[in-house]
Each structure stands twice: as structure tokens, then as C-alpha cells.
Amino acid sequence: KASIKSVKNKKGKKIVVKCRKMSGAAGYEVQYSVNKQFKKKTKKTGSSVSFTLKRLKKKTYYIRVRAYDMENGKKVYSKWSSVKKVKVKK
């Protein structure tokens, strides 16, 4: 199971999310939403453990992360991490 190392509110309505590195992971997917149940969500994928979420509104965001690995050309995902809450106020 993937986990979030830190979530920080940065100046310019940005959030920096850092994941814990998982052995064997080809990349990570960050999902964020203003809804606790992730009804309207946005995702960002990459091989880095650090993600910067930009152009956000001054609201509370819920963030979760999962790792993936490539098998036979398809992505195989881990379970979602626990949800972290961060308020954008800068």
C-alpha cells in the first residue's frame, strides 16, 4: 500500500505532495478532490515521488496516492493510501 510522506500548502495556490518510495513501483498516481468521497476528482501521474498541484482554489482538498507497476504493457495498481486533508490559503 502506498503512503503519503507530506502534503504542504505553498504560495501561489499550490500543494506539494510527497510519497514514500515503494520498491518495485514504476510510478505513482495522485488523486485530489474537494469532496471527501472523491466524486469529482483530478489525477496526476508520474514516476517521481514528488508532485506539485497547481491552479487550485482557496478550498480544502483531499489527497490520496497509489503506486503502479507495469506488467505486460498494462498498469497494475496498489491500494490507495489513507486520505490527507490540506487547506489552500496562500
Side-chain angles (χ1 to χ4, degrees), residues 4 6-8 15-18 29-35 38 53 56 60-65 80-88:
I4 296 173
S6 68
V7 178
K8 291 186 178 161
I15 295 174
V16 176
V17 180
K18 292 190 179 176
E29 184 178 286
V30 174
Q31 204 173 64
Y32 59 101
S33 176
V34 292
N35 184 296
F38 289 86
L53 312 177
L56 303 172
T60 300
Y61 285 86
Y62 298 91
I63 299 164
R64 62 186 181 179
V65 172
W80 286 110
S81 68
S82 54
V83 176
K84 294 276 187 183
K85 182 169 94 168
V86 65
K87 192 169 192 173
V88 175

Side-chain angles (χ1 to χ4, degrees), residues 54-83:
K54 299 177 183 177
R55 288 178 258 147
L56 303 172
K57 294 189 171 30
K58 288 188 178 182
K59 292 184 176 187
T60 300
Y61 285 86
Y62 298 91
I63 299 164
R64 62 186 181 179
V65 172
R66 67 181 175 178
Y68 67 86
D69 195 16
M70 300 300 286
E71 285 184 20
N72 300 327
K74 292 187 178 183
K75 288 182 182 177
V76 178
Y77 292 98
S78 72
K79 290 186 176 182
W80 286 110
S81 68
S82 54
V83 176

Side-chain angles (χ1 to χ4, degrees), residues 8-50:
K8 291 186 178 161
N9 176 28
K10 295 288 184 181
K11 194 173 181 179
K13 297 179 190 163
K14 296 177 192 170
I15 295 174
V16 176
V17 180
K18 292 190 179 176
C19 317
R20 291 201 192 282
K21 195 162 181 81
M22 284 184 64
S23 61
Y28 302 89
E29 184 178 286
V30 174
Q31 204 173 64
Y32 59 101
S33 176
V34 292
N35 184 296
K36 269 185 191 180
Q37 286 77 35
F38 289 86
K39 291 196 178 180
K40 287 187 177 179
K41 57 196 168 278
T42 309
K43 69 178 179 179
K44 195 167 184 178
T45 309
S47 58
S48 171
V49 292
S50 180

